[in-house]
Amino acid sequence: MSDARVDREAVREEEMAAEQRYLNVLYGKLDDLRTETTQRLKATLRDSGGPPQARTERDISTRMYTDKLNQLSSVEHGMCFGRLDLDGGETFHIGRIGLFDEDNEYEPLLLDWRAPAARPFYLATAAARDGVRRRRHLKTSWRKVLDYEDEILDLDAAEQGSDLGLAGEATLLARLDARRTGQMQDIVSTIQAEQDRIIRAGMNGVLVVQGAPGTGKTAVALHRAAYLLYTFREQLSKRGVLVVGPNPTFLHYIGQVLPSLGETGVLLSTVGGLYPGITATGAESARTAEIKGRLSMTDVLTAAVRDRQQVPRDHVEVTFDRESLQLKRKDATAARTRARRTRRPHNLARRVFQDEMFKALTLQVGERLGLDLLDRRDLDEINVELRADPEVTRALDELWPELTPQHLLDELLSSPERLATATAKVLDDAERDALLRPAGAPWTPADVPLLDELAELLGEDDAAERAERERQEREELAYAQGVLHIMEQDEEIADEERLRVSDVLDAELLAERFRTSSDLTAAERAAEDRTWTFGHVIVDEAQELSEMAWRVLMRRCPSRSMTLVGDVAQTGALGGASSWDDVLDRYVQDRWKLAELTVNYRTPSEIMDVAAELLSDMDTELEPPKSVRSTGNLPWAQQIAREDLNTELPQLVSEELDEVADGRLAVLMPADLLAEIGPGLAEALPEAVVGTRPDDLESPAVLLTVDEAKGLEFDSVLLVAPEVVAESSDRGLNDLYVALTRATQRLGIVHCGDLPPGLARSFE
């Protein structure tokens, strides 16, 4: 062994030892923080007495300390992953959170990856060093340093290297080649320059991130959420951040990313999960979902509401005080017109309608008794008695009932007559038939935007609740005044040389603090409140959303502070977007920014070549992304007769499982085929499960439809019946493109008929 090589190895061992010592210091600090926070939490929990204000402060402190402990635990694995050596001799370590040295004027021990000073770790290049001489990528396993990779950016330095265009290329490629676990991992240690620019973009306005498969769109979106919460903590901690995904399986897949970055106050949801109290588990055809997602459904729902605001054909007779009264058509028509002109939601305008009708009925009673014998007080008493009469109120309820979104939509979709009336100007007979379903059928994800729209149209008559809330507020104010009075009497506090409590706190402020304090996070409160508006909304697979779904999200974010992530070439939903202009013109016109991701980190070049050939047959001008790696594993295709799938497919799946060893295999196929052969295939292969349950992605092999696989990635993909996928809808090629680009290592195709032309050219 040469002396030079011995010297290099000695230097490397010394550097490894130095990094290990530094890591020990960091974890020592982490342990101290955990111990201190645990002690404070225990002390807070022991203090269970005191007035309501003290108990409220205790609950807030408990939440704060619990969140801190969760954060410290979540970042422990891989806490420090990098180092920057600057021209002036300064050195900064980069990690998932920031740590400071209290004994040394709060010098940073570890820079949070989101801090401005950490940005050169992701952006510096040999051509634009930004003062960085060397960038080091650390490979750790919990508290042990395993290895490191150095990039020398100062090309005049003695240890001169080369810039390959990718930050931490060896670390990045090792990460990309690693086996999948069934849960998405963060990319905080390998963020590339084009990704970093998007992650750190400003919060205001709508940012659209267009990215082809494998470019890291989802990872960028989640890291952007963590960055925004770090940079704009004060604003976003109050209103929260909403991250919307395409399905529950996807949300489970990404569920650990934000906690691993130290952020737990984010609401993850599908559009179907944004209506409190509704569990949208029902299934329906893609055609039915597309119809429900059309913007014209707003006209249908408006008509359905107006259809419930009736007037009698002539009159309705009711008995009051043993006398017959008439609800006359002309009175009801005038009352309805007056109520509608208020432009209030249905349930709020109902009060106006009833007021007008009770006035008309009061006059009827008064005329019988003799109006000249009655004064205003007598008429008011008659009005009150009419309002208390069950038969009268029941008759008025028939004309203008109080409605809930659930009741109205269920009646609409299960009644051919009501549906025909509401859709007369909008849908044809075939489309109406597609919407009809039995009464009480389970809600589907496409129903939720309709329910949300109805909630806006109907409103909620909360007069009684508001009165009760005002009563409670008066009691709280009186209680707060009493608390302040007692505190003012305390000798120590009342000392003239001290500030009095009333100098810094009045009763109204104390009552408000008591009223609004809660141990729930903004995300938890938002999940229970349909009218909650978020500080920022991030939408993944945004191209899949229907026009009605966009209305839901725009209501949740009136500030239009949004990040929309997707790829219009992957749009599979019939009601999805074909361009971002189509989506946004109605809400922000041209006031939105576009950022593009162009590098494919997931899909190796061998697979991307196949996908690119298919892309050329699709109605899009998008270019395929550039893959950063190849694996040497060429995609393969094999034809099997449809009737032989049950017997031959298990063997192919078993062989593919052997190839990926500890990795994850996805078997993707059309929904009808999965329903037919999936259970038998899972029974024949103990390692395989039919997916969609939360833990299914962690199984060695999972059987999914193409739609269920959207946004996910696997070591290997076995695509069955691509010809059926391509012909299944007007956007079948888009679905096929999605299926081809889920794999990080291997791709196999099993077809029963002729391959679609774009695939056939790849396997000629």
Side-chain angles (χ1 to χ4, degrees):
M1 185 182 299
S2 67
D3 292 342
R5 183 176 177 184
V6 171
D7 289 343
R8 285 197 300 271
E9 290 184 355
V11 169
R12 190 168 187 82
E13 289 180 5
E14 184 177 336
E15 289 285 314
M16 287 278 289
E19 295 294 357
Q20 184 64 62
R21 289 193 295 271
Y22 202 88
L23 195 65
N24 292 341
V25 171
L26 295 178
Y27 275 102
K29 176 64 176 175
L30 188 73
D31 291 339
D32 291 343
L33 282 174
R34 184 184 286 115
T35 299
E36 178 185 347
T37 305
T38 301
Q39 290 173 346
R40 291 184 177 181
L41 176 60
K42 290 180 178 178
T44 301
L45 293 173
R46 283 197 300 267
D47 184 16
S48 58
Q53 181 196 8
R55 294 197 297 271
T56 300
E57 295 293 345
R58 181 204 65 198
D59 291 341
I60 295 173
S61 297
T62 299
R63 162 66 73 171
M64 180 181 68
Y65 294 138
T66 301
D67 285 348
K68 185 66 175 178
L69 286 173
N70 289 338
Q71 181 195 49
L72 296 177
S73 297
S74 64
V75 302
E76 184 173 7
H77 179 52
M79 182 173 67
C80 176
F81 53 79
R83 192 179 95 179
L84 285 174
D85 295 356
L86 306 184
D87 288 339
E90 287 184 290
T91 297
F92 295 105
H93 282 77
I94 315 295
R96 283 177 163 77
I97 59 172
L99 293 175
F100 298 90
D101 186 357
E102 295 93 335
D103 299 328
N104 189 20
E105 298 183 348
Y106 281 87
E107 284 291 316
L109 288 172
L110 186 66
L111 275 180
D112 191 298
W113 67 276
R114 297 166 288 190
R119 195 170 191 189
F121 183 78
Y122 301 107
L123 294 185
T125 65
R129 295 193 298 112
D130 198 16
V132 177
R133 182 179 62 84
R134 175 170 62 182
R135 174 169 47 212
R136 173 168 292 179
H137 295 264
L138 295 170
K139 182 180 180 182
T140 63
S141 177
W142 294 96
R143 302 186 177 216
K144 183 175 178 59
V145 177
L146 301 180
D147 202 356
Y148 69 83
E149 173 204 0
D150 278 346
E151 293 178 272
I152 308 301
L153 303 184
D154 182 0
L155 300 184
D156 296 325
E159 63 266 63
Q160 181 182 135
S162 62
D163 176 49
L164 301 179
L166 295 172
E169 184 176 15
T171 301
L172 173 64
L173 294 179
R175 183 71 174 269
L176 297 176
D177 285 332
R179 296 300 190 193
R180 269 44 192 172
T181 65
Q183 291 221 331
M184 185 178 182
Q185 305 298 310
D186 66 68
I187 61 167
V188 65
S189 62
T190 57
I191 294 171
Q192 299 301 301
E194 71 169 6
Q195 298 172 325
D196 185 82
R197 281 189 285 271
I198 294 170
I199 290 170
R200 296 176 190 264
M203 188 177 75
N204 294 332
V206 175
L207 174 65
V208 175
V209 182
Q210 164 69 40
T215 53
K217 298 185 298 298
T218 299
V220 166
L222 295 173
H223 288 68
R224 177 160 169 73
Y227 169 78
L228 292 176
L229 283 164
Y230 173 86
T231 307
F232 304 99
R233 179 75 63 184
E234 184 175 352
Q235 301 99 301
L236 294 181
S237 62
K238 297 175 182 177
R239 302 310 309 170
V241 173
L242 170 66
V243 175
V244 178
N247 55 58
T249 304
F250 174 83
L251 295 182
H252 176 74
Y253 176 65
I254 68 172
Q256 292 305 310
V257 173
L258 283 167
S260 75
L261 299 173
E263 297 295 347
T264 56
V266 176
L267 178 62
L268 302 179
S269 180
T270 62
V271 172
L274 288 178
Y275 198 100
I278 294 296
T279 303
T281 57
E284 60 193 352
S285 70
R287 180 62 170 165
T288 300
E290 183 271 328
I291 296 170
K292 290 180 178 179
R294 295 177 189 172
L295 188 62
S296 59
M297 286 301 293
T298 58
D299 297 328
V300 172
L301 298 177
T302 299
V305 172
R306 292 175 70 89
D307 186 46
R308 303 305 297 272
Q309 299 165 358
Q310 297 290 313
V311 297
R313 290 186 177 180
D314 181 37
H315 69 271
V316 174
E317 290 196 2
V318 294
T319 301
F320 172 71
D321 197 19
R322 291 176 292 183
E323 297 284 343
S324 177
L325 294 178
Q326 290 185 348
L327 305 180
K328 299 177 181 178
R329 179 180 178 85
K330 68 180 182 62
D331 293 334
T333 301
R336 183 174 68 176
T337 300
R338 175 74 181 275
R340 286 178 174 175
R341 282 177 178 172
T342 66
R343 306 184 71 84
R344 297 178 187 173
H346 171 90
N347 288 330
L348 301 183
R350 174 176 176 268
R351 196 182 315 149
V352 176
F353 174 81
Q354 290 190 331
D355 287 345
E356 294 297 311
M357 291 303 295
F358 280 124
K359 286 179 185 177
L361 292 172
T362 299
L363 284 176
Q364 280 190 47
V365 175
E367 287 170 351
R368 291 182 181 180
L369 296 176
L371 284 174
D372 55 335
L373 301 176
L374 304 175
D375 59 19
R376 172 52 56 188
R377 184 181 302 174
D378 295 326
L379 293 175
D380 288 343
E381 288 179 359
I382 294 171
N383 192 298
V384 170
E385 291 174 3
L386 283 167
R387 290 175 183 272
D389 188 279
E391 185 176 345
V392 174
T393 56
R394 187 162 51 248
L396 291 179
D397 284 343
E398 287 292 322
L399 297 179
W400 193 301
E402 185 172 10
L403 299 170
T404 66
Q406 296 93 317
H407 177 74
L408 180 56
L409 186 60
D410 187 52
E411 276 197 347
L412 175 66
L413 297 180
S414 62
S415 168
E417 295 79 15
R418 290 193 183 278
L419 193 58
T421 300
T423 61
K425 299 179 180 180
V426 178
L427 303 180
D428 59 31
D429 290 341
E431 291 168 328
R432 276 190 283 275
D433 290 341
L435 290 183
L436 275 174
R437 67 184 191 191
W443 298 115
T444 70
D447 288 328
V448 169
L450 304 184
L451 290 169
D452 199 71
E453 190 75 24
L454 281 172
E456 296 291 314
L457 293 172
L458 295 176
E460 183 178 357
D461 189 351
D462 60 350
E465 293 180 10
R466 192 165 60 250
E468 174 62 18
R469 191 161 56 246
E470 290 172 356
R471 184 193 64 78
Q472 291 178 354
E473 289 176 1
R474 288 194 297 271
E475 289 184 357
E476 290 164 0
L477 178 59
Y479 177 82
Q481 289 170 336
V483 169
L484 287 179
H485 178 71
I486 293 172
M487 295 173 71
E488 291 285 9
Q489 304 308 308
D490 186 282
E491 257 184 43
E492 183 178 359
I493 296 178
D495 189 324
E496 292 183 0
E497 296 182 1
R498 296 173 180 267
L499 278 174
R500 297 171 65 85
V501 173
S502 57
D503 292 331
V504 294
L505 184 67
D506 60 22
E508 287 81 2
L509 180 58
L510 179 58
E512 177 67 17
R513 288 187 65 186
F514 173 72
R515 186 161 51 249
T516 59
S517 295
S518 170
D519 61 348
L520 297 178
T521 66
E524 290 167 334
R525 296 198 304 275
E528 300 174 357
D529 184 357
R530 190 197 68 83
T531 63
W532 188 274
T533 57
F534 291 87
H536 194 80
V537 172
I538 294 175
V539 186
D540 201 359
E541 302 292 346
Q543 76 280 353
E544 299 295 332
L545 298 188
S546 69
E547 292 172 314
M548 291 299 293
W550 280 114
R551 287 176 66 84
V552 175
L553 294 181
M554 292 301 172
R555 287 191 197 104
R556 299 301 189 274
C557 192
S559 68
R560 302 296 189 261
S561 176
M562 307 178 83
T563 303
L564 313 179
V565 180
D567 178 14
V568 290
Q570 296 185 63
T571 303
L574 295 179
S578 57
S579 78
W580 296 116
D581 284 311
D582 292 344
V583 170
L584 297 172
D585 182 64
R586 183 173 294 107
Y587 301 105
V588 293
Q589 288 78 49
D590 58 354
R591 300 187 305 276
W592 54 277
K593 295 175 290 185
L594 176 68
E596 293 190 71
L597 293 169
T598 60
V599 179
N600 190 324
Y601 303 98
R602 176 207 301 145
T603 315
S605 58
E606 294 88 348
I607 297 177
M608 200 61 227
D609 288 343
V610 176
E613 192 65 43
L614 182 70
L615 186 65
S616 66
D617 285 356
M618 295 164 59
D619 183 19
T620 178
E621 297 179 358
L622 297 175
E623 294 292 326
K626 307 176 186 69
S627 295
V628 302
R629 66 195 176 104
S630 61
T631 61
N633 299 318
L634 293 176
W636 54 268
Q638 179 175 333
Q639 185 167 11
I640 297 178
R642 175 68 180 78
E643 60 272 17
D644 294 333
L645 281 178
N646 283 317
T647 56
E648 297 191 30
L649 194 55
Q651 180 61 33
L652 288 177
V653 174
S654 182
E655 292 173 359
E656 198 60 29
L657 279 170
D658 290 339
E659 292 289 344
V660 296
D662 296 328
R664 298 294 180 271
L665 166 67
V667 183
L668 308 182
M669 62 185 76
D672 291 344
L673 185 59
L674 179 61
E676 180 183 340
I677 72 171
L681 188 58
E683 185 176 348
L685 294 163
E687 308 95 331
V689 297
V690 178
T692 69
R693 293 176 302 179
D695 297 331
D696 287 342
L697 296 182
E698 298 172 23
S699 302
V702 60
L703 282 61
L704 299 167
T705 67
V706 174
D707 185 61
E708 291 167 346
K710 191 173 289 288
L712 309 180
E713 61 180 36
F714 307 89
D715 296 281
S716 178
V717 166
L718 196 58
L719 175 58
V720 182
E723 69 280 5
V724 178
V725 174
E727 296 171 0
S728 60
S729 76
D730 294 340
R731 287 179 164 162
L733 289 183
N734 300 60
D735 290 334
L736 194 53
Y737 183 63
V738 170
L740 293 174
T741 53
R742 299 304 95 199
T744 67
Q745 301 288 337
R746 297 173 55 83
L747 172 66
I749 296 174
V750 175
H751 56 106
C752 303
D754 293 337
L755 286 172
L759 284 184
R761 291 195 297 272
S762 295
F763 296 101
E764 289 177 344

